[in-house]
Each structure stands twice: as structure tokens, then as C-alpha cells.
Amino acid sequence: MEKATANGGRRSSHVLLFAYPMHGHMSPMLQFAKRLASKGLLVTFLTTSSVTESLQIDLPPSYPIHLRFISDFHTEVIETLKQRHEAFAAAVSRSLGEFLDGALINGDHPPRLMVFDSVMPWAMEVARSRGLEAAPFFTESAAVNHILNQVYEGSLSIPAPENAAVSIPSLPNLEAEDLPYFPSVIREVTLEFMTRQFSSFKDAKWIFINTFDQLEPQIVNWMGERWPIKTVGPTVPSAYLDGRLEKDKTYGLKRQKPEDGRAVEWLDSKETASVVYISFGSLVMLAEKQVKELTNFLTESGLPFLWVLRESEMEKLPENFIQETSGKGLVVNWCSQLEVLSHKAVGCFVTHGGWNSTLEALSSGVPMVAVPQWIDQTTNAKFIADVWEIGVRVKLNEKHEIATKDELEASIRQVIEGREKKNSIKWRKLAKEAVDEGGSSDKNIEDFAKTIMLLSN
């Protein structure tokens, strides 16, 4: 069969990618879709229709990736998070089945396999009941997935007893605070949501993880001896890594509200590695006490800063803060994070430590100050500080509530002046090598594409 390029060609080897409808889940799967398309596969990217209320998918026309949406509409009255999860699974299982029935029966090139976001484990049975092979895609690190699988299998409990040492095969020694953290108010339902990912994955022929071999070698090797693990990360637009994918400067996701374009222009006026970039992602809601400590630090430190703060969080800022710091700082509601992280003016990244943000900073060579909030972020912060040594984890006050302004300043000055920057440059090079031609992730994607092509002959 002729292998097509990203600019066209004959494609009959069809793969369906089914993404969970949240920004942090769609971004890595869209990037994986581009990599698959660049290997000559026909790709359909599928998600649910509700995502269009807040996001727009905008991919370069040079990539033969077809976009499709299925309904996640439900009529049930939703009063709890658990009910929301159950209603979503029921509604989307039905619409996914209907979509697959049409694609398998009426399509000119029916899909050979469906890659689905691992937080929707029921998708595997929907596909297999129709004779379609399915493979999960894990958007978290291998370490976090390994830990949560231990919880699923019953060999580990979360939360662990305070001050307890935690020993897990292939992982460094962990303390209780290094494990994924689930706030008590949502612990039961969220822990169930995160651990049920492992209910059906072990009999899959492929298991894709958004990491790369050299980043988590012991964990990947341990898991790979037991299951068909394939690392395919970091799933960051090619322009920031190997540069081999044409016009690949963004994930292809846009907010329905226009982005604030001031950030990059403002950075252009700043000295190299002088700016503290602050962002806690699209979901974290900082406590007012934490916002106060941050603003006190920014007011008193004299360091230039760029702070991305959602519109709904702006009311937590002290009165006149923006006006009083306008000479050295900029607060925006949204920006292109990769553009910011790749800018020469950025000296460090104060982050919640979500996995996408971690990979973006690592791929940009920017050291991090991790202020983890929940779920995977606590484990990511452990690896950022103690394993990869590309940042520090901020110590919380005695009540374990917030990071004080003094602790924030000490942490930020450490990563600006210490070895973390040098280590970040090293990891940036390794990330690029992983996705470049012949790298570990590139080989895994290439081998998978070749296998799918053989199935189509």
C-alpha cells in the first residue's frame, strides 16, 4: 500500500480516536492524531457535542483528520458528580454505538481500531461488541497510572497514613504527600472515576501513554514487562520539539472567547529569563488566602511577572493590585501557554503541576515551581523536584493549606539561580529526541501505524 504524506495521498488504513470532552484530555489526543496522520493513516477524531460550547477544533487543512461529534445529551436530573458521570457514560455509550454502527457498515474505509481516552473504559466494550479492536490512551504520567492501578488492584490505599513511607515496584520511595490527592468532598467518586480506567485495559493489544521512555524508564520497563505499553509523548505541537510536522504550532483547540494577545507582545519588552510565569490551569480554583500570598509576593519582590488568571478568579485579587503592579506585571485571563513558555523572557513557571503543563515546560526547557492542588499534581511535583530535578515543590505552611509569600520567593529564586535550569535544558533535548525520527516515541507510533496498515491489506 502506498504510504501517504500529511499533504495527501491514498489512505485506507483508518483509525478512530475518541477523546473525553475536556481541554486537557483533547489536547494530547489531537497531537497523537497528527502524528498518526503523518505516518500515512486516515484518522477520525471523535468527541462529544457539548465541547463545542466552549472550544473550537481548528486543525490545519494539510492533515487528513476528520472531525466528528456525537451526542452526550441526557434527560436525567443531575444532583451529584457521581450522577453526572453515570449519565454521561450511559448517553455516550448509546451514541458511540450508533456512530460505530454507521462507520462500520456504511463507510468506504471502516476504522480498523479505536483509540479511546482511558477515563471512558466502557468504550472498549462498545467497540468490541461490534468486532472493532480498541486501545486506551492514558493522558497522565506512567507513574500516576502505575499508582492508581495499585489502588484499583487493592494493594494500595489512598490516602495513605500520614508520615507513612510508600513502597511501589519501580517507583522511588514516596511519602503519603507524594501520592495522588483527592479532596475529601469529592474523594470517593473521583477516586472511582480515576481507578476504573484499569478495569478493562490489560487485555488490550496496545496501551498508549503520554510520556517517553527516558523520562520514566524504570516504570515503563516494569509496566512493559506485563502489558503492551507504548509511550507516544510528549504530545506537544511539533514546532516546539522536532519540527517535522508542517504548520504544527498549536494543538488545534481554540476557546470560543478570543485569546488575549497581549502576553507575547509584553514579553518581547522584557529581558532574557527575567519573567515569572504563573498559571494554575483551567480547573484549579485557588483559595483566597493563597491568592493573597501570591499577590503579596509579587508586590514586594520586584520580579517581572505574567499571571494567567481566569475571569472567574479575578475577584479574589486585592483592590488596585493590577494598577499598582502594572509597571512590572501583566495579568491576563488566557494566553497561548506554549508561546509563553518558549519565549526567551520567561525564567520560571509557577504551576499547579498538571501533566500537560509539566510536559510543556519540560519540552520548553523552563524550570518549574510546583504548587500542586489535587489528583496527579502531587505526584508530578515529586518527580519535578526529586527525580528529574527541573524544579522545586513549594512547602506548605504548618496547616498544609497554602504556600506563603516567603516560601514562594525562596522557591522561585532557587530555580532561577540554581541547577534546575541546566537540568531543564537537558530534558528538553531528550524530549525532542523521543519524538524525532528514530526516537522511542516515534518508533512506537511508526510500528503501530505499520501494523494497522498490514491489517488493511
mmCIF file of all heavy atoms in Angstrom, residues 134-150:
data_model
loop_
_atom_site.group_PDB
_atom_site.id
_atom_site.type_symbol
_atom_site.label_atom_id
_atom_site.label_comp_id
_atom_site.label_asym_id
_atom_site.label_seq_id
_atom_site.Cartn_x
_atom_site.Cartn_y
_atom_site.Cartn_z
ATOM 1 N N ALA A 134 -9.968 -2.143 20.248
ATOM 2 C CA ALA A 134 -9.883 -0.850 20.927
ATOM 3 C C ALA A 134 -8.648 -0.811 21.813
ATOM 4 O O ALA A 134 -8.204 -1.837 22.342
ATOM 5 C CB ALA A 134 -11.142 -0.599 21.750
ATOM 6 N N ALA A 135 -8.091 0.397 21.964
ATOM 7 C CA ALA A 135 -6.886 0.578 22.762
ATOM 8 C C ALA A 135 -7.005 1.853 23.583
ATOM 9 O O ALA A 135 -7.395 2.896 23.053
ATOM 10 C CB ALA A 135 -5.655 0.657 21.857
ATOM 11 N N PRO A 136 -6.673 1.804 24.877
ATOM 12 C CA PRO A 136 -6.783 3.005 25.714
ATOM 13 C C PRO A 136 -5.597 3.941 25.529
ATOM 14 O O PRO A 136 -4.471 3.519 25.248
ATOM 15 C CB PRO A 136 -6.812 2.438 27.138
ATOM 16 C CG PRO A 136 -6.020 1.164 27.037
ATOM 17 C CD PRO A 136 -6.288 0.624 25.666
ATOM 18 N N PHE A 137 -5.862 5.226 25.724
ATOM 19 C CA PHE A 137 -4.842 6.280 25.697
ATOM 20 C C PHE A 137 -4.864 6.952 27.061
ATOM 21 O O PHE A 137 -5.879 7.539 27.453
ATOM 22 C CB PHE A 137 -5.155 7.282 24.589
ATOM 23 C CG PHE A 137 -4.133 8.383 24.439
ATOM 24 C CD1 PHE A 137 -3.167 8.319 23.458
ATOM 25 C CD2 PHE A 137 -4.153 9.491 25.269
ATOM 26 C CE1 PHE A 137 -2.228 9.328 23.307
ATOM 27 C CE2 PHE A 137 -3.228 10.513 25.131
ATOM 28 C CZ PHE A 137 -2.259 10.428 24.149
ATOM 29 N N PHE A 138 -3.751 6.873 27.789
ATOM 30 C CA PHE A 138 -3.655 7.435 29.132
ATOM 31 C C PHE A 138 -2.994 8.805 29.051
ATOM 32 O O PHE A 138 -1.867 8.934 28.579
ATOM 33 C CB PHE A 138 -2.859 6.513 30.052
ATOM 34 C CG PHE A 138 -3.615 5.275 30.453
ATOM 35 C CD1 PHE A 138 -3.656 4.165 29.622
ATOM 36 C CD2 PHE A 138 -4.307 5.229 31.650
ATOM 37 C CE1 PHE A 138 -4.362 3.024 29.984
ATOM 38 C CE2 PHE A 138 -5.018 4.096 32.024
ATOM 39 C CZ PHE A 138 -5.052 2.990 31.187
ATOM 40 N N THR A 139 -3.709 9.822 29.523
ATOM 41 C CA THR A 139 -3.214 11.192 29.420
ATOM 42 C C THR A 139 -2.328 11.591 30.596
ATOM 43 O O THR A 139 -1.728 12.668 30.568
ATOM 44 C CB THR A 139 -4.387 12.187 29.325
ATOM 45 O OG1 THR A 139 -5.213 12.059 30.492
ATOM 46 C CG2 THR A 139 -5.224 11.928 28.081
ATOM 47 N N GLU A 140 -2.227 10.751 31.626
ATOM 48 C CA GLU A 140 -1.386 11.061 32.781
ATOM 49 C C GLU A 140 -0.023 10.387 32.631
ATOM 50 O O GLU A 140 0.212 9.616 31.712
ATOM 51 C CB GLU A 140 -2.065 10.573 34.072
ATOM 52 C CG GLU A 140 -3.498 10.996 34.233
ATOM 53 C CD GLU A 140 -3.659 12.498 34.449
ATOM 54 O OE1 GLU A 140 -2.640 13.190 34.583
ATOM 55 O OE2 GLU A 140 -4.808 12.974 34.491
ATOM 56 N N SER A 141 0.873 10.662 33.573
ATOM 57 C CA SER A 141 2.203 10.062 33.542
ATOM 58 C C SER A 141 2.122 8.566 33.819
ATOM 59 O O SER A 141 1.140 8.062 34.376
ATOM 60 C CB SER A 141 3.106 10.713 34.589
ATOM 61 O OG SER A 141 2.708 10.335 35.899
ATOM 62 N N ALA A 142 3.189 7.853 33.454
ATOM 63 C CA ALA A 142 3.244 6.423 33.749
ATOM 64 C C ALA A 142 3.246 6.199 35.260
ATOM 65 O O ALA A 142 2.622 5.252 35.753
ATOM 66 C CB ALA A 142 4.494 5.807 33.118
ATOM 67 N N ALA A 143 3.923 7.073 36.014
ATOM 68 C CA ALA A 143 3.980 6.919 37.470
ATOM 69 C C ALA A 143 2.599 7.018 38.096
ATOM 70 O O ALA A 143 2.216 6.193 38.932
ATOM 71 C CB ALA A 143 4.910 7.985 38.063
ATOM 72 N N VAL A 144 1.833 8.021 37.695
ATOM 73 C CA VAL A 144 0.491 8.203 38.250
ATOM 74 C C VAL A 144 -0.403 7.019 37.868
ATOM 75 O O VAL A 144 -1.156 6.502 38.712
ATOM 76 C CB VAL A 144 -0.116 9.533 37.771
ATOM 77 C CG1 VAL A 144 -1.612 9.608 38.079
ATOM 78 C CG2 VAL A 144 0.615 10.704 38.426
ATOM 79 N N ASN A 145 -0.320 6.581 36.629
ATOM 80 C CA ASN A 145 -1.120 5.425 36.222
ATOM 81 C C ASN A 145 -0.730 4.173 37.000
ATOM 82 O O ASN A 145 -1.593 3.381 37.392
ATOM 83 C CB ASN A 145 -0.939 5.183 34.715
ATOM 84 C CG ASN A 145 -1.653 6.219 33.881
ATOM 85 O OD1 ASN A 145 -2.803 6.559 34.143
ATOM 86 N ND2 ASN A 145 -0.993 6.743 32.874
ATOM 87 N N HIS A 146 0.561 3.993 37.231
ATOM 88 C CA HIS A 146 1.034 2.842 37.993
ATOM 89 C C HIS A 146 0.474 2.869 39.419
ATOM 90 O O HIS A 146 -0.014 1.852 39.932
ATOM 91 C CB HIS A 146 2.561 2.868 38.004
ATOM 92 C CG HIS A 146 3.210 1.686 38.640
ATOM 93 N ND1 HIS A 146 2.570 0.485 38.865
ATOM 94 C CD2 HIS A 146 4.482 1.513 39.121
ATOM 95 C CE1 HIS A 146 3.397 -0.374 39.433
ATOM 96 N NE2 HIS A 146 4.561 0.233 39.607
ATOM 97 N N ILE A 147 0.512 4.039 40.045
ATOM 98 C CA ILE A 147 -0.005 4.175 41.413
ATOM 99 C C ILE A 147 -1.504 3.893 41.457
ATOM 100 O O ILE A 147 -1.987 3.132 42.310
ATOM 101 C CB ILE A 147 0.290 5.580 41.963
ATOM 102 C CG1 ILE A 147 1.791 5.777 42.156
ATOM 103 C CG2 ILE A 147 -0.443 5.810 43.292
ATOM 104 C CD1 ILE A 147 2.187 7.210 42.450
ATOM 105 N N LEU A 148 -2.246 4.498 40.544
ATOM 106 C CA LEU A 148 -3.698 4.315 40.554
ATOM 107 C C LEU A 148 -4.093 2.878 40.236
ATOM 108 O O LEU A 148 -5.106 2.370 40.737
ATOM 109 C CB LEU A 148 -4.351 5.286 39.565
ATOM 110 C CG LEU A 148 -4.272 6.764 39.951
ATOM 111 C CD1 LEU A 148 -4.866 7.640 38.853
ATOM 112 C CD2 LEU A 148 -4.994 7.030 41.271
ATOM 113 N N ASN A 149 -3.304 2.201 39.426
ATOM 114 C CA ASN A 149 -3.573 0.792 39.162
ATOM 115 C C ASN A 149 -3.349 -0.044 40.418
ATOM 116 O O ASN A 149 -4.080 -1.010 40.677
ATOM 117 C CB ASN A 149 -2.696 0.279 38.024
ATOM 118 C CG ASN A 149 -2.993 -1.173 37.692
ATOM 119 O OD1 ASN A 149 -4.133 -1.558 37.445
ATOM 120 N ND2 ASN A 149 -1.953 -2.000 37.702
ATOM 121 N N GLN A 150 -2.348 0.316 41.226
ATOM 122 C CA GLN A 150 -2.140 -0.365 42.501
ATOM 123 C C GLN A 150 -3.360 -0.187 43.412
ATOM 124 O O GLN A 150 -3.762 -1.111 44.121
ATOM 125 C CB GLN A 150 -0.886 0.190 43.185
ATOM 126 C CG GLN A 150 0.413 -0.014 42.424
ATOM 127 C CD GLN A 150 0.868 -1.454 42.420
ATOM 128 O OE1 GLN A 150 0.920 -2.090 43.469
ATOM 129 N NE2 GLN A 150 1.182 -1.983 41.258
#
